[in-house]
Amino acid sequence: MPSRLWLWPNLLSLDAPLVAVLWQALFVRCFHATGDALPAVLLVLAVWLIYAADRALDAWAGTGRRPRHEFYRRHWRAVLPVWTAVLAIAGWLAWTRLAPPLFQRGLLLLAGVMLYFAVVHFSPEGFRRAWPKEAAVAILFALGASLAALSRIRSVGDAVSILLFSCLCWINCVAIEQWEQRDPFGWPIGAAAACVALAALLLPLLDRPVLGEAEMASALAFVLLDRARRHLSTDMLRVLADAALLSPVFFLPVAGVSV
């Protein structure tokens, strides 16, 4: 098991919840939605539950052989009671404390997550190969991160900002898959990220300058990573691919001033 400290957030499935909650905060501020701690807590718990379960199932099935899968293969007995407790806490909080409209949207998203798990882990192999896994993850992740702000969509710019974020999530998934396999014939990650960066330039014209700048920063980070991928280890690329989505850290301080 790797001893490098920078890899442990990935091993413990803590990187994706951090990315999700940062983008949730940015969407809430930029869309002027009502924000409190509960949706953020539930999002962190839900994303961790999903990623931990997904990696554990991959490990048990023998389809995942990266360090994150090996972690769950070795430590699932310790993780399982924690996972069960987190599930119970998240379910209780959502049932008793969440506003009904947000709870209903969450149930719809949960149905999408359950469909994803059914296809990826329990369907025939031929169907799984045809299933656009990375696109499904990207859509579900983007909807989850923007769920608390969806009721505040008022313009084309709002919808475009969520669409571009889903494109960034897709690039993240595809890049990790290709970089880990060192596949030279996959999607042109750098070109796709450059297209998203160019598209994000339109968001200031659609009254979403901060979202546009954050998405452009993440897209350009993927362009740079793609150019440098041959000089970085697979594990480092995996960690940096998620770090590329941490751009809201730099834009949240100004999100309430200029959205």
Side-chain angles (χ1 to χ4, degrees), residues 2 5 26 34 37 49 69 84 103 117 132 150 189 219 224 226:
L5 291 178
L26 192 62
T34 302
L49 286 167
H69 303 112
T84 304
F103 180 76
F117 270 85
L150 285 180
I189 301 300
L224 294 176
D226 188 59

Side-chain angles (χ1 to χ4, degrees), residues 1 5 13 43 51 58 63 70 77 91 131 144 159-160 185 189 195 218 246 253:
M1 187 63 61
L5 291 178
S13 302
L43 180 64
Y51 272 71
D58 281 341
T63 57
E70 182 63 24
R77 289 180 180 85
W131 174 257
V160 169
F185 303 108
I189 301 300
C195 289
S218 287
L246 297 179

Side-chain angles (χ1 to χ4, degrees), residues 23-36 145-146 148-149 152:
W23 282 96
Q24 180 195 61
L26 192 62
F27 280 120
V28 164
R29 289 193 185 183
C30 290
F31 286 10
H32 301 292
T34 302
D36 55 48
S146 61
R152 300 291 297 178

Side-chain angles (χ1 to χ4, degrees), residues 130-252:
W131 174 257
K133 178 180 178 180
E134 289 81 10
V137 171
I139 292 170
L140 291 171
F141 195 94
L143 288 175
S146 61
L147 194 67
L150 285 180
S151 63
R152 300 291 297 178
I153 291 179
R154 296 290 185 270
S155 67
V156 173
D158 295 342
V160 169
S161 66
I162 296 174
L163 176 62
L164 287 180
F165 179 58
S166 70
C167 291
L168 287 172
C169 295
W170 176 83
I171 290 171
N172 171 271
C173 294
V174 173
I176 290 169
E177 181 71 17
Q178 292 183 184
W179 293 342
E180 287 187 337
Q181 296 182 6
R182 298 292 179 175
D183 181 7
F185 303 108
W187 285 89
I189 301 300
C195 289
V196 173
L198 289 174
L201 287 174
L202 296 175
L203 282 181
L205 302 178
L206 298 173
D207 299 323
R208 291 299 171 204
V210 174
L211 277 169
E213 290 162 5
E215 291 171 346
M216 183 168 60
S218 287
L220 292 176
F222 280 114
V223 173
L224 294 176
L225 274 177
D226 188 59
R227 292 180 62 88
R229 68 186 186 280
R230 294 182 180 86
H231 307 290
L232 299 170
S233 70
T234 300
D235 289 338
M236 180 62 76
L237 283 170
R238 175 66 180 83
V239 171
L240 291 177
D242 284 335
L245 293 176
L246 297 179
S247 60
V249 168
F250 304 103
F251 295 93
L252 277 170

